[in-house]
Amino acid sequence: MRKRYNTPHRSHVIKTRLSDEEYADFTKRLAPYGISQSEFLRQAIRQAAIRPVIHVSAVNDELLSAVGKLAAEYGKIGGNLNQIARCLNEYGAPYPQLAKELRGTAAELAALKYEVLQKVGGVVGDTQTFQL
């Protein structure tokens, strides 16, 4: 007759190999808790905090610096556009065509800034690794 356990049915198995040093560390961490290896791993998985570690090479440092300068320029341009928009909103009647152009330019600037940041995010994302 099969032995029955009072635990939920678990159908997925995870296996891994450890070096002698890793296994010694594992058993040392496990000893104070008085629980099985499986339960220790289940609890460790549920409570683990995985933080991304981003490795940036020298090329990416230059890229990030250039993007920072570009974003700062976009900010300055956006500030100027906002000042112009404020004036047009205040004295808008004589300049309806200019107001329309300004709204279109502001939208294009926002789209360009988003596109650049999205592409840079992809470059940085390619170099990141994760650490437990």
Side-chain angles (χ1 to χ4, degrees), residues 74-90 102 106 109:
Y74 284 158
K76 290 176 186 176
I77 293 169
N80 290 340
L81 288 174
N82 283 336
Q83 289 177 355
I84 294 168
R86 188 176 297 117
C87 287
L88 287 174
N89 286 335
E90 200 171 314
L102 180 64
L109 178 65

Side-chain angles (χ1 to χ4, degrees), residues 9 22 38 46 48 51 72 112 115 120 123 125 128:
H9 178 70
E22 291 169 332
S38 298
R46 277 189 242 118
R51 294 179 282 305
L112 181 61
E115 182 181 336
V120 170
V123 170
Q128 78 181 10

Side-chain angles (χ1 to χ4, degrees), residues 59-78:
V59 174
N60 284 339
D61 283 340
E62 294 172 12
L63 175 64
L64 292 175
S65 174
V67 168
K69 290 177 185 176
L70 186 60
E73 288 296 319
Y74 284 158
K76 290 176 186 176
I77 293 169

Side-chain angles (χ1 to χ4, degrees), residues 5 21 37 48 64 68 77 107:
Y5 295 96
E21 296 85 25
Q37 293 177 354
L64 292 175
I77 293 169

